Amino acid sequence: ETFIIAAVMAMRHPKASVLGGALAALYFMTVLSAFLGIVLPNLISQQTVHNCATVLYTFFGLRLMWIGARGESEDKDEEFEEVESTLKDSATKAQKSLLRRTFSSFCTPVFVEAGILTFLAEWGDRSQIATISLAAHQNPIGVIAGACVGHTICTSLA
């Protein structure tokens, strides 16, 4: 979804603003996820965190294998149209709130829109769960750096 959001927005708006907004949201989500990976083991036992991560990885792995075995392919055209309609809806809404005026003085509306759409698309995604799990078991700085590099490469391709 993030790739499609960035690609569709980059076709209609300045590419630098779209890339900046998407990467800002992805970096924020990565740091937030790594923070959760550090905090959660202190709130609940390390074994419970490990067990939850194992269950989630197993669930997502089995789900992907099930989809692959059924021969069910994701309908990219349908997803593309859905994202496009979401972008049209958000573009047609005239929002002149104080919050928007404040943000527009710091960031362009395209930057904010790309950031919000990307953040919402990534919330609860497999990459977020993986970041939380890796930060709980590995060096969080390395996890953040690696995830940011990966997000930059993938989003820049869009």
Side-chain angles (χ1 to χ4, degrees):
E1 292 177 355
T2 303
F3 187 84
I4 293 172
I5 289 170
V8 170
M9 287 192 71
M11 285 188 249
R12 298 176 178 196
H13 303 290
K15 290 171 182 45
S17 294
V18 173
L19 180 63
L23 288 178
L26 289 168
Y27 294 165
F28 178 72
M29 181 70 73
T30 300
V31 172
L32 178 66
S33 299
F35 177 74
L36 287 173
I38 295 168
V39 171
L40 285 180
N42 293 325
L43 297 177
I44 54 180
S45 72
Q46 184 76 14
Q47 186 62 37
T48 305
V49 172
H50 178 73
N51 290 341
C52 288
T54 302
V55 168
L56 287 171
Y57 282 134
T58 303
F59 169 75
F60 283 120
L62 291 174
R63 181 177 170 269
L64 287 173
M65 289 188 328
W66 182 65
I67 289 171
R70 284 186 37 199
E72 188 178 293
S73 64
E74 295 179 4
D75 188 5
K76 298 296 182 192
D77 292 333
E78 183 179 311
E79 189 172 345
F80 184 78
E81 289 172 8
E82 182 181 328
V83 169
E84 198 169 68
S85 69
T86 302
L87 290 173
K88 283 181 185 176
D89 290 344
S90 66
T92 58
K93 292 180 183 175
Q95 300 172 353
K96 300 294 183 187
S97 68
L98 175 64
L99 181 64
R100 180 165 179 171
R101 288 191 305 260
T102 304
F103 270 124
S104 66
S105 66
F106 297 108
C107 305
T108 65
V110 173
F111 178 90
V112 174
E113 183 179 2
I116 290 172
L117 288 173
T118 302
F119 185 83
L120 293 175
E122 286 294 314
W123 186 259
D125 194 23
R126 288 183 299 256
S127 61
Q128 182 187 22
I129 294 167
T131 305
I132 292 169
S133 177
L134 284 171
H137 295 95
Q138 303 295 327
N139 179 4
I141 301 299
V143 172
I144 291 171
C148 287
V149 168
H151 286 312
T152 302
I153 292 169
C154 291
T155 306
S156 296
L157 292 174

